[in-house]
Amino acid sequence: GAVVSQHPSRVICKSGTSVKIECRSLDFQATTMFWYRQFPKQSLMLMATSNEGSKATYEQGVEKDKFLINHASLTLSTLTVTSAHPEDSSFYICSAPGQGDQPQHFGDGTRLSIL
Amino acid sequence: AQSVTQLGSHVSVSEGALVLLRCNYSSSVPPYLFWYVQYPNQGLQLLLKYTTGATLVKGINGFEAEFKKSETSFHLTKPSAHMSDAAEYFCAVRGGTGGYQKVTFGTGTKLQVIP
């Protein structure tokens, strides 16, 4: 079945570093990708929706300049956390919509730890 | 508008006992409902889904859920718990057809299985 590949699975870096997370759709094209953030012991919160060929749509309260999203092709969406700080430490998950009535396909997530 | 309420952030059952995880939803349109399982530091895996048709849906690993429109519920059950079922479970709702519709997740229920 359809698979979404997310990389890297874990990142540990110093405060002030920018971190890029990639999300690829394997064997299918995704004109839309969803980016979620999950704090410990909490649910997934939608951050933004990336759209191939156009600007991403951000949810209320999400800083566009902080979380840069680029949907470079029909199989690749990236999330860049710019000048990351400890409060940005979280679990980030991407997903691609399923075809028709099918559910979303989730990546395995990226654990981001900012020291 | 749509929302999901999962009753009980933690549920403990003995190995071999019945598993019951509760989910209630609200949706302004006929909902599509999902249950996902998440293991530590991993993405979400689909257990089962309800779109239309039969209200009792069977999923993977012996789980099933029943859509009850009158009660706006979609509770997840499994007759006999295994140790491997210990994980976090999320109920989710999507407002109708179209994979591009946003999905709203519940706050999750952590299932503990006691030997």
Side-chain angles (χ1 to χ4, degrees):
Chain A
V3 175
V4 171
S5 175
Q6 187 172 344
H7 178 81
S9 59
R10 185 172 181 89
V11 179
I12 302 173
C13 58
K14 294 180 179 180
S15 183
T17 306
S18 292
V19 178
K20 179 183 283 188
I21 303 170
E22 294 187 348
C23 185
R24 295 180 183 275
S25 57
L26 306 181
D27 71 34
F28 72 102
Q29 295 180 335
T31 57
T32 298
M33 290 278 200
F34 300 108
W35 286 95
Y36 294 88
R37 181 174 182 175
Q38 185 180 30
F39 288 103
K41 301 181 181 180
Q42 295 188 28
S43 188
L44 281 74
M45 299 300 295
L46 181 65
M47 298 174 63
T49 304
S50 73
N51 304 293
E52 192 271 335
S54 64
K55 292 182 179 180
T57 304
Y58 289 81
E59 297 299 302
Q60 189 173 8
V62 178
E63 299 177 60
K64 300 179 182 180
D65 295 333
K66 177 73 170 178
F67 300 99
L68 300 180
I69 290 176
N70 183 278
H71 201 127
S73 71
L74 289 172
T75 59
L76 174 64
S77 175
T78 61
L79 167 67
T80 302
V81 183
T82 62
S83 187
H85 290 94
E87 58 266 28
D88 298 322
S89 298
S90 191
F91 193 57
Y92 294 87
I93 306 176
C94 67
S95 75
Q99 296 298 313
D101 294 342
Q102 295 304 306
Q104 297 180 22
H105 308 287
F106 286 89
D108 285 336
T110 298
R111 172 68 63 189
L112 176 62
S113 299
I114 308 299
L115 305 178
Chain B
Q2 59 196 31
S3 66
V4 176
T5 301
Q6 288 184 243
L7 297 177
S9 58
H10 288 80
V11 171
S12 293
V13 300
S14 298
E15 190 175 15
L18 171 72
V19 176
L20 171 61
L21 304 182
R22 299 179 186 274
C23 172
N24 288 87
Y25 71 91
S26 69
S27 176
S28 57
V29 298
Y32 282 26
L33 296 159
F34 310 90
W35 274 100
Y36 290 90
V37 61
Q38 185 182 33
Y39 297 97
N41 289 315
Q42 294 187 25
L44 274 67
Q45 179 183 7
L46 180 69
L47 280 178
L48 48 79
K49 62 181 171 70
Y50 168 79
T51 54
T52 58
T55 56
L56 181 62
V57 293
K58 296 184 183 298
I60 62 172
N61 301 338
F63 285 94
E64 62 182 36
E66 186 171 10
F67 170 62
K68 292 187 176 180
K69 184 178 179 180
S70 61
E71 299 178 7
T72 61
S73 68
F74 191 57
H75 302 329
L76 181 71
T77 61
K78 182 175 180 177
S80 177
H82 294 166
M83 294 300 296
S84 60
D85 294 328
E88 185 111 29
Y89 292 81
F90 293 94
C91 182
V93 62
R94 189 178 84 198
T97 61
Y100 298 87
Q101 297 289 331
K102 291 180 183 178
V103 174
T104 300
F105 290 87
T107 50
T109 297
K110 188 170 185 177
L111 176 65
Q112 180 184 17
V113 181
I114 303 168

